Amino acid sequence: AAADHSPAVIIGTGYGAAVTALRLGAAGVPTVMLEMGKLWNDPAEDGTTFSDMLSPDRRSTWFKDRTEAPLASFLWLDVANHDIDPYAGVLDRVSFGDMSVYVGRGVGGGSLVNGAMAVIPKRSYFEEILPRVDADEMYGQYFPLANSMLGTNHVDPEWFETSRAYRFARVSRKAAHRAGFRTTFVPSVYDFDYMRREEAELVPRSALASEVVYGNNHGKRSLDKSYLAAAVGTGNVTIRTLSEVRDITRQQDGTYVLEVRRIDELGNVLGVHQMSAKHLFLGAGSLGSTELLVRARDTGKLPELGEAVGRGWGTNGNVMLGRANHAWDPVGPLESGMPALGIDAWDRPDPVFAEIAPVPAGLETWASLYLAITRNPERGTFRYDPGADRAVLQWDVDQGQPSIDAAKRVFDRINSVEGTSYRYDLFGDTRAFETRFTYHPLGGLVLGEATDLYGRVAGYDNLYVTDGSLIPGSTGVNPFVTITALAERNIARILAEDVRRT
Ligand code: FDA
């Protein structure tokens, strides 16, 4: 074995990884987590840890020389993006031709950059996508456990009605209701009490200072403050940052050997070393975990991996769109970075769950923005590109069309009742619907296909998948609660059956 050995190694520090670390640590298993991004705990001179959203600096973005914000333009002006120095920043946009995937980089993964919406899927839909997972157990035990561990909380409906920061959501709600659609409050892991105090100017602003996709300086219960803090608190879990796993091989005796590349925050390679593990858990996210196994299979390092590895990837049906508001319906210059309301049209023949999203631009935008989650049956496949030594996603732009069609039926009706139109100036050209990026990459190592029903990789003992790559391309709502709850369920079984206490 390599000199550097740990009984358990977890790759990544996102939701699946964090759950797994806490449960291994609490069971007394010495565990090392390897995270390619940095730990976000060292404030700059001005006291901020994360970059400002409106004038982003290098902390915003993972090694690019220009930011790549989701809303490319406003009135076709490229106002959103700024030149920056390459750095181990917190938000990455990974491009595969027709599809770009946003992911978080750093200790906490996506929890550092996401909108904090903590939504449990409709039970009937969950039973449809993962029919062989016991739904009674998930809804009775693991979803509630996930929410309590994540620190999910609810907006006070009375405050919501009066908050200036949610005027944008009330304007969108009025239009949805007039067209006959239902809206629902969305639970969050952003602390709504903190937000109230932000509005009252009692504490430094974060959600109310437009912060979200480049990290929140305050208020958000990201994983580093919940699961990962608890995991490290067991005394059995250590996190190594700026450490990217490049390769996985397996020795004759079954030990896994990882090639780990260490960098500094500027991207200089400090060295490549080997580390070994008895139990190896993949928590590098849908893109990261899938790439590692596609590479291992196709380079012959883990030759027993099957055809299911790399398949069943989807965007959770993501489609973004904006509507133009009437002049008499201003939303005001202050929009909370954290959504709190969604349009629930999931009961339709072509279901839509649309988050009413902020445009936290700090000025009146006359726009209502939505991130709609639809039931898009299209799936992509990852293939290994030996020249680039990278897994490449095969996804065609037309595969976004079912998402557009479903969203269009809902929002055409809203526009027709309101006498409003779409915004054509938000996505860099004149399209009204953006399906060329996703915030919700899911699948690639689907539960029950690339793995057994608990995430054990088919063909290999002591190799597990814990993250969003287990979910078959769609979960019908924002996915992190599903990922967390499924990871809780899986690690409970694996601890009981596979991992001997030390
Ligand atoms: P996740 O992607 O969180 O973590 C993977 C980690 O592994 C990362 O830290 C990465 O750096 C690391 N890694 C990858 N490859 C590696 C390697 N080879 N070696 C070492 N480390 C490696 N969801 C939701 O439910 N509600 C919401 O409001 C939102 N909003 C939202 C906004 C934005 C802007 C984004 C980008 C995403 C969201 N999401 C969301 C999605 C949510 O954040 C996402 O589904 C989860 O973070 C996925 O969790 P995972 O555990 O799968 O991996």
Side-chain angles (χ1 to χ4, degrees):
D4 188 9
H5 180 86
S6 176
V9 167
I10 303 172
I11 306 173
T13 56
Y15 291 89
V19 168
T20 305
L22 171 59
R23 300 305 166 201
L24 288 171
V29 181
T31 301
V32 171
M33 305 183 84
L34 299 170
E35 167 57 53
M36 66 193 276
K38 68 185 216 102
L39 176 65
W40 291 91
N41 71 340
D42 49 345
E45 266 164 33
D46 67 356
T48 64
T49 298
F50 294 103
S51 167
D52 187 77
M53 172 108 148
L54 301 177
S55 53
D57 59 46
R58 66 181 190 170
R59 295 172 295 176
S60 65
T61 307
W62 181 257
F63 295 110
K64 303 266 162 74
D65 42 33
R66 193 165 170 78
T67 62
E68 297 181 339
L71 286 188
S73 61
F74 185 73
L75 297 173
W76 296 284
L77 299 172
D78 185 4
V79 287
N81 288 312
H82 296 257
D83 290 337
I84 47 168
D85 291 327
Y87 185 73
V90 74
L91 182 69
D92 197 1
R93 177 176 170 134
V94 183
S95 293
F96 305 99
D98 287 350
M99 176 53 63
S100 293
V101 183
Y102 282 100
V103 292
R105 298 273 181 236
V107 174
S111 77
L112 298 168
V113 298
N114 69 32
M117 282 171 283
V119 193
I120 296 176
K122 299 264 188 295
R123 179 166 171 153
S124 57
Y125 190 59
F126 181 84
E127 288 174 349
E128 200 181 313
I129 55 164
L130 290 169
R132 292 189 286 162
V133 173
D134 181 351
D136 280 342
E137 200 179 57
M138 289 296 290
Y139 284 79
Q141 189 177 349
Y142 292 115
F143 280 122
L145 174 63
N147 269 329
S148 92
M149 290 297 302
L150 291 166
T152 300
N153 74 147
H154 301 263
V155 67
D156 172 353
E158 266 172 51
W159 175 73
F160 174 87
E161 296 305 332
T162 60
S163 168
R164 280 183 299 134
Y166 282 119
R167 192 164 175 190
F168 78 95
R170 297 195 298 272
V171 166
S172 284
R173 179 179 63 183
K174 181 175 70 176
H177 287 180
R178 281 160 45 131
F181 294 107
R182 224 166 1 109
T183 56
T184 175
F185 284 113
V186 173
S188 179
V189 297
Y190 194 90
D191 182 345
F192 281 117
D193 283 334
Y194 189 87
M195 202 189 294
R196 278 174 92 135
R197 285 180 279 143
E198 288 179 53
E199 183 159 54
E201 295 185 14
L202 299 171
V203 290
R205 286 187 164 182
S206 182
L208 268 48
S210 300
E211 291 180 356
V212 49
V213 296
Y214 300 142
N216 281 89
N217 282 300
H218 310 279
K220 196 206 259 184
R221 296 163 181 160
S222 46
L223 288 168
D224 49 327
K225 301 187 176 67
S226 61
Y227 271 103
L228 291 169
V232 171
T234 67
N236 293 316
V237 176
T238 51
I239 302 174
R240 299 189 190 166
T241 59
L242 297 166
S243 298
E244 183 191 3
V245 177
R246 295 290 307 168
D247 253 321
I248 305 170
T249 55
R250 190 168 178 266
Q251 293 180 335
Q252 214 91 61
D253 66 356
T255 307
Y256 291 96
V257 179
L258 308 177
E259 188 185 292
V260 184
R261 183 165 69 186
R262 293 214 46 233
I263 59 168
D264 67 15
E265 291 175 8
L266 301 177
N268 301 305
V269 178
L270 302 177
V272 177
H273 81 280
Q274 292 197 332
M275 140 141 241
S276 67
K278 173 145 195 275
H279 296 277
L280 178 60
F281 295 86
L282 301 177
S286 169
L287 295 189
S289 294
T290 305
E291 171 164 271
L292 283 167
L293 290 196
V294 166
R295 182 188 287 128
R297 179 190 61 198
D298 293 356
T299 57
K301 288 177 178 146
L302 295 178
E304 304 302 321
L305 293 173
E307 277 307 299
V309 167
R311 305 191 79 92
W313 185 87
T315 65
N316 206 20
N318 275 193
V319 47
M320 192 173 260
L321 65 131
R323 290 178 42 253
N325 289 325
H326 289 299
W328 57 84
D329 260 341
V331 299
L334 182 67
E335 301 192 27
S336 171
M338 298 295 138
L341 206 63
I343 298 173
D344 184 354
W346 198 260
D347 295 339
R348 296 165 54 83
D350 46 358
V352 175
F353 180 80
E355 141 200 352
I356 297 173
V359 191
L363 46 82
E364 174 63 52
T365 60
W366 309 107
S368 285
L369 188 72
Y370 307 87
L371 178 70
I373 295 167
T374 63
R375 180 180 172 153
N376 184 334
E378 293 291 333
R379 294 293 175 265
T381 301
F382 286 92
R383 303 222 176 279
Y384 181 64
D385 172 354
D389 185 27
R390 145 173 214 246
V392 177
L393 175 67
Q394 299 189 307
W395 176 272
D396 190 89
V397 73
D398 297 336
Q399 292 180 271
Q401 196 60 42
S403 301
I404 295 176
D405 294 343
K408 195 168 184 311
R409 287 192 195 101
V410 167
F411 289 98
D412 277 2
R413 186 150 121 215
I414 293 177
N415 277 335
S416 108
V417 170
E418 290 297 294
T420 51
S421 67
Y422 293 108
R423 287 284 294 248
Y424 298 95
D425 60 322
L426 301 176
F427 306 114
D429 48 27
T430 58
R431 75 188 62 219
F433 296 92
E434 178 61 283
T435 53
R436 296 169 303 175
F437 73 75
T438 183
Y439 288 163
H440 300 164
L442 294 172
L445 303 169
V446 171
L447 192 85
E449 294 176 22
T451 74
D452 78 349
L453 292 177
Y454 293 90
R456 299 175 176 109
V457 175
Y460 288 91
D461 288 340
N462 301 334
L463 181 62
Y464 310 93
V465 180
T466 68
D467 56 27
S469 43
L470 292 170
I471 296 170
S474 165
T475 187
V477 291
N478 315 68
F480 74 60
V481 181
T482 311
I483 295 170
T484 304
L486 200 61
E488 286 278 19
R489 166 196 176 268
N490 294 347
I491 191 63
R493 172 66 65 112
I494 287 158
L495 267 173
E497 294 185 352
D498 299 19
V499 182
R500 232 197 27 233
R501 284 162 191 246
T502 51

